[in-house]
Amino acid sequence: MTSSNLTRGAATWALLSLAVGSFGIGMTEFVVMGLLPDIGQDLLPSLWALRSEDAIAQAGWLISLYALGVVIGAPTIAGAVAKYPRRRVMIGLALALTVFNALTFLAPTFEWVAASRFLAGLPHGAYFGIGALVAAEVLGPGMRAKGVAFVLTGLTVANVVGVPLGTFIGQQVGWRAAFMIVAAIFLAATVLIALFVPEDEGDPSRTMRAELKVFRIGQVWLALAVGAIGFGGFFAVYSYVAPMVTDVAGSPEWAVPIVLVLMGIGMTIGNLVGGHLADVDLRRTLVGGLIGLAVVLALVGATAQWIWALALFVFATGFVSSVLSPTIQTRLMDVAQDNQSIAAALNHSALNIGNSLGAFLGGLVIAAGWGFVAPAWVGVVLALAGLAIAAASLVTERRRMPAGV
């Protein structure tokens, strides 16, 4: 399955099919955040009656359980299925996402919903990781990062369209409706992948034991650290955009979704630009992206009191962070040598660790009384730490290259 035996139209349809699934993943991961009050009131009525904040906080466990599923499922599933044909694996993953999100729609109690969210997180990393490998093979040498970015576009577009729309529908007709829509999207992705992603041969030698050799490669650990720490700077701000808009900039609540949509637009554009730049010069894109992330997060921190500046630099944050997304993914594929299935999936474990780390540290500085702008400065520190790790990785790699390379 290479660019040599696929027409441009066939390759586009294959990538679109994968992107539909990534759109569903973006929606199922983030739509729950806007529906926490609805879920808490519906599934935890006794706690809601006593104190609504406690019910919302407990409903927030659903976000953590999904992230835990991603962290656990990415390497284990990717390693277990590495020997099988990737087209069949992608069909199976899309079908699993259909079933687990349908379970969220049907689950009668909070405990069942919690279990379904954990299960829905399990295929997340493997879908993106193996999907990235399929996309890279479909487009061929010199265009791998563009293929990765194309698949990730579904995730970024979900933040612009799917999450706001799903949140609105869930608020109007019941939170379960959002997950019914998500399940339908994954069902469509299953059918499209079966129709348009080309057949390929598996590799029986790629056993779990063989794939686990990826953890012996130092450069893989450094690339994962860049994602978990450097990208954590983005999540430090993303997690606390709402209070920045309302409490710092003094804007009404209706301005929050507008600012979030602007971030999503920035992410979508940045993802496509990042795919192009990474194919041109991956190392410079990685370093430049991390420097850029630190700069725009500092600008968020310095100008958050003005809503126009906050909106502008939140857009820029989304743009720069998504330039990094396909870049880090492709970097992992480069340094993993022959162990790409687990490595590609591990990127999403790392990003979810970054999600937790950024949100946690941002919450710490807020709790310490430093204000809602403080997470932006936490983000600057994390981005610079990621830059230091990336620089160490590239310097080490350069020293080990043969002379003249």
Side-chain angles (χ1 to χ4, degrees), residues 349-398:
S349 292
L351 295 184
N352 273 268
I353 292 172
N355 188 345
S356 300
L357 179 65
F360 173 72
L361 293 177
L364 276 184
V365 294
I366 291 173
W370 294 358
F372 289 116
V373 175
W377 300 109
V378 170
V380 172
V381 173
L382 290 174
L384 292 175
L387 175 63
I389 296 168
S393 171
L394 296 175
V395 168
T396 303
E397 184 178 61
R398 175 63 64 180

Side-chain angles (χ1 to χ4, degrees), residues 16 47 78 82 104 107 130 149 201 208 216 225 237 253 280 292 324 356 361 405:
L16 279 172
L47 188 58
T104 300
I130 298 173
E201 296 181 1
M208 173 67 86
R216 301 177 185 176
V237 167
E253 287 188 354
V280 173
L324 283 169
S356 300
L361 293 177
V405 174

Side-chain angles (χ1 to χ4, degrees), residues 2-391:
T2 65
S3 56
S4 61
N5 56 24
L6 280 183
T7 65
R8 183 173 181 177
T12 299
W13 275 105
L15 295 176
L16 279 172
S17 302
L18 297 172
V20 170
S22 71
F23 179 92
I25 288 178
M27 191 170 174
T28 194
E29 181 175 15
F30 296 114
V31 76
V32 69
M33 297 176 183
L35 295 174
L36 288 182
D38 304 85
I39 295 171
Q41 187 173 9
D42 181 37
L43 297 180
L44 303 165
S46 299
L47 188 58
W48 180 273
L50 291 173
R51 181 174 163 82
S52 60
E53 291 86 350
D54 291 343
I56 293 173
Q58 185 168 328
W61 296 355
L62 302 178
I63 299 172
S64 300
L65 285 168
Y66 184 92
L68 180 63
V70 177
V71 173
I72 294 174
T76 53
I77 293 177
V81 302
K83 66 181 179 181
Y84 299 108
R86 288 172 179 164
R87 173 180 174 273
R88 297 181 189 177
V89 168
M90 294 303 295
I91 292 172
L93 292 171
L95 186 59
L97 286 160
T98 304
V99 171
F100 295 147
N101 280 279
L103 180 58
T104 300
F105 167 67
L106 296 170
T109 67
F110 180 80
E111 290 75 18
W112 275 103
V113 171
S116 73
R117 299 311 296 154
F118 173 76
L119 291 172
L122 291 174
H124 173 129
Y127 184 96
F128 276 122
I130 298 173
L133 297 176
V134 173
E137 290 180 357
V138 163
L139 289 185
M143 299 183 68
R144 296 178 313 132
K146 287 188 181 71
V148 172
F150 199 112
V151 174
L152 289 173
T153 296
L155 177 65
T156 59
V157 171
N159 281 280
V160 180
V161 180
V163 173
L165 182 61
T167 301
F168 175 77
I169 292 173
Q171 290 170 339
Q172 299 304 310
V173 300
W175 65 269
R176 294 179 188 276
F179 292 96
M180 179 178 68
I181 294 170
V182 169
I185 290 170
F186 282 125
L187 182 60
T190 304
V191 174
L192 290 170
I193 291 169
L195 289 175
F196 295 112
V197 173
E199 290 278 4
D200 65 298
E201 296 181 1
D203 184 355
S205 67
R206 300 317 310 166
T207 62
M208 173 67 86
R209 183 175 181 179
E211 286 291 315
L212 288 175
K213 292 178 181 177
V214 73
F215 291 109
R216 301 177 185 176
I217 303 172
Q219 287 289 354
V220 166
W221 285 104
L222 291 172
L224 290 172
V226 171
I229 297 174
F231 214 82
F234 163 74
F235 288 111
V237 167
Y238 185 43
S239 302
Y240 302 101
V241 164
M244 284 188 194
V245 171
T246 56
D247 291 44
V248 179
S251 297
E253 287 188 354
W254 56 258
V256 174
I258 295 175
V259 173
L260 290 175
V261 166
L262 286 173
M263 176 176 274
I265 294 171
M267 292 170 66
T268 302
I269 299 171
N271 179 58
L272 296 174
V273 171
H276 170 74
L277 293 177
D279 278 330
V280 173
D281 193 323
L282 189 146
R283 293 175 176 84
R284 289 185 180 179
T285 304
L286 180 62
V287 171
L290 289 164
I291 293 172
L293 183 59
V295 170
V296 296
L297 290 176
L299 290 170
V300 168
T303 65
Q305 64 267 36
W306 300 297
I307 185 60
W308 64 268
L310 179 61
L312 174 64
F313 293 125
V314 163
F315 168 85
T317 299
F319 175 86
V320 178
S321 67
S322 284
V323 167
L324 283 169
S325 188
T327 305
I328 295 172
Q329 180 79 71
T330 307
R331 172 68 178 170
L332 262 173
M333 292 160 58
D334 283 347
V335 300
Q337 300 171 16
D338 294 329
N339 313 288
Q340 294 201 357
S341 292
I342 282 188
L346 277 170
N347 184 47
H348 297 276
S349 292
L351 295 184
N352 273 268
I353 292 172
N355 188 345
S356 300
L357 179 65
F360 173 72
L361 293 177
L364 276 184
V365 294
I366 291 173
W370 294 358
F372 289 116
V373 175
W377 300 109
V378 170
V380 172
V381 173
L382 290 174
L384 292 175
L387 175 63
I389 296 168

